[in-house]
Amino acid sequence: ARDYHDAVGRAMRMIADDDSIVAEGGATILRVHGVRTPRAIVLIHGFTDSPHQFAELADSLYASGDNVLVPRLPHHALRGRNVGELARLTAAELVHTADAAVDIAAGLGDTVVVVGLSVGGTLALWAGEERPEVRRTVVIAPAFEFTHVPSILERPLVNLSARIPNVSR
């Protein structure tokens, strides 16, 4: 973002886009003080969850003086849909969302911190590596690999899971 006002405008467009498609409480969250702050924090929720997962933390960070953005990941928290919608999610969509969030945060604060849980943690690591604006990342239970599976079986399991049908109850 060019400046604070551009960043807020971009975030408000994200929220407006969410309003027409997401379930109650599932939209992108923006907490801002009306000016650029020393620190802007991006919180990226986990797979199958929504920005609401970080609502209390966003409020706490905001109360301590930070501008905060919690973007909704694509295909998450959609109104009237089930978790099967997540089968359409792509890595490119996830990266685009993290990239857009860092763009916005760069206009909201002097220092950008990205915090992520699960797949959000993986995106936080990506942002820390690929975006020079990110000063610090906090990673909570990142999704790196299958657990309790011998490493020799990981790639075949990933390939198999990409080909079998999704099941949701």
Side-chain angles (χ1 to χ4, degrees):
R2 292 184 314 274
D3 55 30
Y4 173 82
H5 295 293
D6 182 36
V8 170
R10 289 180 189 202
M12 295 307 289
R13 283 190 294 280
M14 272 182 152
I15 293 167
D17 290 346
D18 285 353
D19 281 346
S20 64
I21 61 171
V22 302
E24 186 176 335
T28 294
I29 297 170
L30 177 66
R31 301 284 186 263
V32 290
H33 292 277
V35 295
R36 187 177 173 91
T37 54
R39 190 169 56 188
I41 303 191
V42 176
L43 303 170
I44 306 175
H45 65 82
F47 189 66
T48 75
D49 219 311
S50 73
H52 183 72
Q53 181 176 43
F54 280 129
E56 287 184 39
L57 181 57
D59 290 343
S60 177
L61 292 166
Y62 171 77
S64 71
D66 299 319
N67 285 331
V68 183
L69 175 67
V70 189
R72 181 184 62 84
L73 293 177
H75 307 285
H76 285 69
L78 297 178
R79 186 181 310 133
R81 305 270 178 89
N82 67 30
V83 75
E85 180 70 22
L86 296 174
R88 298 178 42 213
L89 184 64
T90 67
E93 289 175 309
L94 291 171
V95 168
H96 174 76
T97 301
D99 212 25
V102 171
D103 285 345
I104 291 168
L108 297 178
D110 299 330
T111 298
V112 175
V113 177
V114 181
V115 178
L117 171 67
S118 182
V119 75
T122 306
L123 290 170
L125 287 172
W126 175 87
E129 284 290 318
E130 299 296 326
R131 296 298 304 267
E133 302 90 340
V134 176
R135 181 73 155 179
R136 176 166 298 167
T137 59
V138 178
V139 181
I140 307 163
F144 283 138
E145 63 186 4
F146 285 105
T147 59
H148 309 294
V149 173
S151 59
I152 195 166
L153 296 177
E154 286 177 6
R155 186 171 304 271
L157 281 173
V158 168
N159 290 336
L160 176 65
S161 67
R163 288 170 179 74
I164 60 175
N166 289 296
V167 176
S168 61
R169 296 177 190 196

